[in-house]
Amino acid sequence: MTDTAAAPTADWQPTACILCSLNCGIEVRLEDRRIASIRGDKRNPRSHGYACEKAQRLDHYQNGRDRLTGPLRRAADGTLEPVDWETAISEIAARLGAIRDEHGGASIFYYGGGGQANHLGGAFGSATRAAFGVRYMSNALAQEKTGEFWVDGKLFGRSRCHTTPDFERSEVAMFVGKNPWESHGFPRSRVVLKEIAKDPARSLVVIDPRRTKTAQLADFHLQVRPGTDAFCLSALLGVLVQEDLLDDDFLAERALEGERLLGVLRDLPVPEYAARCGVDEELIRATARRLAGAGSLAILEDLGIQQAPHSTLNSYLEKLLFLLTGNFGKAGTMNIHTGIASLGGDFRKDAATPVSGARIITGLIPSNAIADEILTDDPERLRAMIVESSNPVHSVADSPRMREALERLDLLVVFDVALTETARLADYVLPSPSQYEKWEASFFCLEFPANAFQLRRPILDPPPGVDLLPEPEIHRRLVHAAGALEGVDLDGLRELAAGPREAFGAAVFGLLGERPELRPHLPVILYETLGATLPDGAAAAAALWPNAHAVAQMFGDAVRRAGIEGEGFALGEALFERILRSRSGLVFTQDVYEDTFARLAYPDKRIRLTIPELVDELEGLRDELEVPADPDFPLVLSAGERRSGTANTIFRDPAWRKQDREGALRVHPEDAGRIGVADGGRARLTTRRGSAEVVVEVSDALQPGYVSLPNGLGLSYPGEDGREVVAGVAPNDLTSTEDRDWLAGTPHHKHVPARLEAA
């Protein structure tokens, strides 16, 4: 493989976009402290020079007016006042310690650990959690992906057996609740979509209630009624089974336990399910035949089904489409990728929360259950919370109730760049440099066969006159204030780190063998020892050293195929050194397709097709064939549609949006005419939880009875005169924590009962 460590030009600095999970490589040109120009980085091995239009406005993040300039503490009069770091750290450690000692570490909750591409600092959170006995945590994945992770665990033996699509080589590309033209989700998405659409031998399949820009390119658009994806997916599977379109040889060789599942699908009434989801039966049958007849099929699901009714079942049914047709473990299909680090918490067996009994998947409490664990008199309730690089007051369902819950806490500590809606409620706000002012990385390494990773060095110093600390340093200080590393010979390890790395490694792993309670503290130990030896102030990157060795140990052949040489310890060292010097990123594993089967976690390396809990739910769909409408809330609201003019909420300045500043509610012409509102007019949108005045955009891309609000709006931001301005509607002012998946607890943000009236 080509080494991507070529030096940048003097004017253009390599880094990455931080607006979605793809983190495309970009180059930026600076003028003073402003990001003046941006272009795709052709040396980046994932994006190869691709970048969408959203990245062009990253300076709105870097130089936002609401950036924090120093640590803050809640004063007696309720305001936030400046405080020095030593005081803030010592007071936080003392208060967390007191809560732990009186109520147990399980009463302290950790949320976040990094936003998009802001993961390196979050790797140090394990040390702070261990220092104060924290047991429970969550992050944004628990609003989106935990149902899918749970399904992966049941099908493949472990939740980390996550599959990824190979769209570059697929004959048929299918998107379920996903609009990659605007929300991406795989590298070079728009280029690949256009290539598929232009090729008469290839097909594009979309299941979406909206006629999105992706759906407009599709050969098969199954425009389901909102919330009926499970019926559509079930009908497709029913056709596959009933018309004998399965890959029997693949199933006989690679799968087990399919009898009950196939029996249910054999008896499924396809015409009734087609009618329920609002898709013509012949279109469903034609689509199923195209999927079964393809030489290769790759599928990507996303929030459209993961935040809707039957979300975990939807993930199961989507995966059955590629498994029953044998589209697994070969080119152009679905494969199990490598990874540089875990994205969830611990991956022990499912547990439950102490108060509400919500299922904990991959160590993550469902976000919709957090308020339930606080707003109670139960002695096991959550009493303190650490929020790192996240904004749950805005991002979690029922923002007013989440605000009430955080105000009930004995202590709230927030790490962030800006004074977010959550930070405004905090007892202490600990500010960090921006993602372009510190060493950073994204752990979203999800590609196959070539998987890439980029460690990003700072391209700017923090602004002059500010008092900021990067998250690794904040965690280090909290851990020492808690006394968690007393008795550890850090000076001795530091001396060893300056010499041959193998001796240092032996000492570190020997220490962990003698004192296993120190394992969660390893990132801080490495930061203080190995980190001091790394060039250019890259101490935070020391946390990647054990990851490099773990990747080399687990995926050694794939690492060597990526052009990184060595055996044993030397291979891990070579990978770590390549990570440090590859400024535009590197391919760290190069897979062959048979690797997918080797990565199945079941000892016999075979897939388990029947998941009893979800087959029960599948059978229960018949009871929902006739669901009466609610006359008080006759519409379905998608609260948080991704559009070309929206991104994640680190873009807080509404000026970044060149059009649609208020984030219009999209409404079908029939619904707009019924209430007497025109395009650009104003209306009152009401749900069971709240109400808001909205600007209306009349659009026939939606179905009658379906309306949508964009994500990323409703944030408080200082205007030119310093007064706070809120542009648009915060979607979670309108959502409810009760509307969630029964199994994974993921919210129904894409299916909110609503009504609309002229304002």
Side-chain angles (χ1 to χ4, degrees):
M1 301 299 294
T2 302
D3 187 350
T4 59
T9 65
D11 292 336
W12 292 91
Q13 300 297 315
T15 183
C17 178
I18 55 177
L19 297 178
C20 82
S21 62
L22 266 295
N23 307 125
C24 295
I26 58 174
E27 293 182 301
V28 303
R29 187 172 56 80
L30 303 173
E31 292 181 2
D32 296 321
R33 291 195 49 80
R34 306 202 72 83
I35 298 176
S37 303
I38 295 173
R39 67 188 185 190
D41 183 357
K42 295 180 180 179
R43 292 185 297 268
N44 186 280
R46 174 186 283 175
S47 52
H48 304 285
Y50 175 92
C52 79
E53 72 279 4
K54 297 181 189 182
Q56 296 298 323
R57 299 191 274 282
L58 278 166
D59 192 65
H60 286 280
Y61 159 75
Q62 170 58 35
N63 290 298
R65 283 192 293 272
D66 59 350
R67 283 198 57 186
L68 294 162
T69 59
L72 302 171
R73 174 181 61 185
R74 184 73 55 189
D77 64 1
T79 61
L80 287 169
E81 63 180 6
V83 64
D84 64 88
W85 278 103
E86 183 177 357
T87 300
I89 294 293
S90 62
E91 290 182 359
I92 292 168
R95 292 180 65 177
L96 286 172
I99 292 169
R100 174 201 58 204
D101 294 345
E102 183 175 356
H103 302 288
S107 67
I108 304 171
F109 185 60
Y110 177 86
Y111 189 91
Q116 302 283 23
N118 189 36
H119 295 145
L120 190 57
F124 291 79
S126 64
T128 294
R129 294 195 298 273
F132 296 100
V134 175
R135 287 185 56 192
Y136 298 114
M137 64 176 290
S138 192
N139 58 39
L141 290 174
Q143 293 215 86
E144 304 168 358
K145 307 299 181 185
T146 44
E148 183 185 3
F149 292 165
W150 188 86
V151 171
D152 288 337
K154 298 297 182 181
L155 290 172
F156 309 128
R158 197 177 187 195
S159 293
R160 288 181 179 175
C161 296
H162 183 258
T163 56
T164 194
D166 185 13
F167 289 127
E168 295 270 1
R169 302 163 186 82
S170 63
E171 180 181 330
V172 174
M174 183 173 185
F175 301 98
V176 187
K178 177 71 177 175
N179 176 19
W181 186 270
E182 291 176 313
S183 65
H184 308 294
F186 62 95
R188 302 170 57 251
S189 57
R190 295 181 182 178
V191 174
V192 174
L193 286 171
K194 287 190 285 188
E195 289 174 351
I196 296 171
K198 289 179 181 178
D199 189 338
R202 304 174 75 185
S203 295
L204 185 61
V205 179
V206 173
I207 299 179
D208 200 306
R210 299 167 298 148
R211 192 176 68 253
T212 64
K213 291 186 178 179
T214 306
Q216 290 172 16
L217 297 172
D219 302 279
F220 302 84
H221 177 202
L222 283 63
Q223 193 170 10
V224 296
R225 289 195 182 100
T228 63
D229 305 273
F231 291 91
C232 183
L233 293 166
S234 299
L236 288 168
L237 290 165
V239 173
L240 292 176
V241 173
Q242 295 164 24
E243 296 190 7
D244 197 21
L245 300 174
L246 308 185
D247 188 331
D248 294 323
D249 292 339
F250 173 86
L251 295 176
E253 181 183 0
R254 298 293 189 178
L256 294 171
E257 301 177 5
E259 293 81 3
R260 183 187 170 202
L261 168 70
L262 296 179
V264 171
L265 294 173
R266 194 170 292 114
D267 294 335
L268 188 140
V270 172
E272 294 178 42
Y273 279 42
R276 176 71 178 90
C277 68
V279 179
D280 181 76
E281 180 187 347
E282 286 309 310
L283 177 57
I284 287 178
R285 292 188 181 277
T287 303
R289 293 163 189 155
R290 182 66 179 105
L291 301 182
S296 57
L297 163 68
I299 307 178
L300 185 60
E301 64 170 79
D302 205 3
L303 304 189
I305 63 168
Q306 293 169 343
Q307 294 187 339
H310 300 293
S311 61
T312 304
L313 175 62
N314 288 334
S315 292
Y316 177 44
L317 300 175
E318 173 265 320
K319 294 177 191 301
L320 289 174
L321 284 173
F322 65 76
L323 291 174
L324 295 185
T325 55
N327 285 288
F328 185 74
K330 62 181 183 180
T333 67
M334 306 298 294
N335 291 275
I336 298 176
H337 58 83
T338 60
I340 204 78
S342 166
L343 288 173
D346 65 55
F347 280 68
R348 296 172 296 182
K349 291 184 178 180
D350 295 351
T353 59
V355 175
S356 65
R359 190 190 302 259
I360 300 173
I361 299 173
T362 63
L364 302 177
I365 285 180
S367 298
N368 273 20
I370 294 171
D372 298 338
E373 301 295 317
I374 299 171
L375 296 173
T376 174
D377 293 328
D378 192 294
E380 295 191 77
R381 72 178 179 89
L382 298 176
R383 298 171 185 271
M385 191 164 168
I386 302 167
V387 177
E388 181 175 350
S389 303
S390 296
N391 187 10
V393 165
H394 186 270
S395 63
V396 174
D398 198 343
S399 292
R401 189 163 185 262
M402 178 57 69
R403 190 175 292 109
E404 178 189 358
L406 298 191
E407 290 172 341
R408 171 83 182 277
L409 293 169
D410 298 337
L411 178 66
L412 174 61
V413 180
V414 173
F415 302 15
D416 218 307
V417 175
L419 194 62
T420 66
E421 286 67 26
T422 303
R424 292 164 195 263
L425 303 177
D427 297 288
Y428 295 88
V429 183
L430 305 181
S432 60
S434 81
Q435 293 196 44
Y436 297 111
E437 298 165 356
K438 62 187 176 186
W439 288 85
E440 258 305 347
S442 166
F443 295 160
F444 291 131
C445 306
L446 310 175
E447 307 310 319
F448 190 106
N451 208 356
F453 175 73
Q454 183 181 13
L455 172 68
R456 311 191 311 273
R457 63 183 61 206
I459 59 174
L460 282 164
D461 292 325
V466 301
D467 191 11
L468 313 176
L469 290 177
E471 293 92 340
E473 179 63 20
I474 298 173
H475 286 295
R476 184 193 75 82
R477 295 189 185 195
L478 284 170
V479 166
H480 279 288
L485 293 182
E486 290 180 2
V488 178
D489 183 10
L490 293 172
D491 290 336
L493 289 174
R494 199 172 290 116
E495 290 180 13
L496 285 172
R501 198 88 45 85
E502 194 160 6
F504 171 74
V508 168
F509 294 117
L511 173 65
L512 298 182
E514 295 171 5
R515 296 184 59 184
E517 75 276 7
L518 291 175
R519 290 180 183 274
H521 295 290
L522 181 59
V524 167
I525 292 171
L526 294 173
Y527 175 78
E528 293 205 49
T529 56
L530 176 61
T533 72
L534 300 182
D536 304 321
L544 297 171
W545 178 73
N547 298 68
H549 281 277
V551 169
Q553 183 178 10
M554 290 188 293
F555 312 116
D557 289 341
V559 172
R560 282 183 284 271
R561 284 194 294 266
I564 300 163
E565 298 179 354
E567 298 290 337
F569 186 86
L571 182 61
E573 284 299 297
L575 175 57
F576 181 62
E577 291 299 326
R578 185 75 67 87
I579 287 171
L580 287 175
R581 72 172 189 263
S582 298
R583 295 194 62 183
S584 292
L586 77 156
V587 172
F588 67 94
T589 53
Q590 180 71 45
D591 285 313
V592 294
Y593 291 97
E594 193 62 27
D595 288 340
T596 286
F597 298 105
R599 290 174 189 156
L600 292 171
Y602 288 117
D604 59 8
K605 304 301 179 184
R606 299 180 78 178
I607 300 157
R608 304 304 194 260
L609 290 175
T610 294
I611 302 177
E613 299 93 327
L614 296 180
V615 176
D616 289 345
E617 187 177 353
L618 173 61
E619 289 186 299
L621 288 180
R622 294 189 186 219
D623 297 332
E624 298 180 28
L625 285 171
E626 297 293 335
V627 178
D630 183 344
D632 293 328
F633 299 99
L635 305 177
V636 171
L637 165 68
S638 176
E641 178 191 359
R642 291 174 174 175
R643 300 177 184 173
S644 292
T646 64
N648 62 45
T649 55
I650 66 169
F651 263 8
R652 299 183 60 82
D653 183 355
W656 90 272
R657 294 168 56 81
K658 302 300 183 183
Q659 297 176 329
D660 189 23
R661 287 286 183 92
E662 291 191 63
L665 178 80
R666 288 180 173 165
V667 182
H668 188 272
E670 286 184 18
D671 296 315
R674 177 176 49 80
I675 67 168
V677 64
D679 190 73
R682 307 192 76 85
R684 172 65 55 180
L685 177 66
T686 303
T687 69
R688 292 168 182 157
R689 186 60 187 94
S691 181
E693 187 173 299
V694 294
V695 173
V696 167
E697 176 188 333
V698 179
S699 170
D700 63 2
L702 282 76
Q703 302 179 46
Y706 187 44
V707 297
S708 72
L709 276 173
N711 69 312
L713 278 292
L715 300 165
S716 180
Y717 189 80
E720 294 284 357
D721 59 1
R723 290 187 293 180
E724 294 294 321
V725 176
V726 176
V729 176
N732 283 312
D733 283 347
L734 303 173
T735 58
S736 170
T737 57
E738 287 79 15
D739 293 333
R740 62 179 103 161
D741 184 67
W742 72 272
L743 192 150
T746 43
H748 294 171
H749 288 337
K750 308 304 181 188
H751 195 270
V752 182
R755 67 172 178 266
L756 194 64
E757 302 153 303

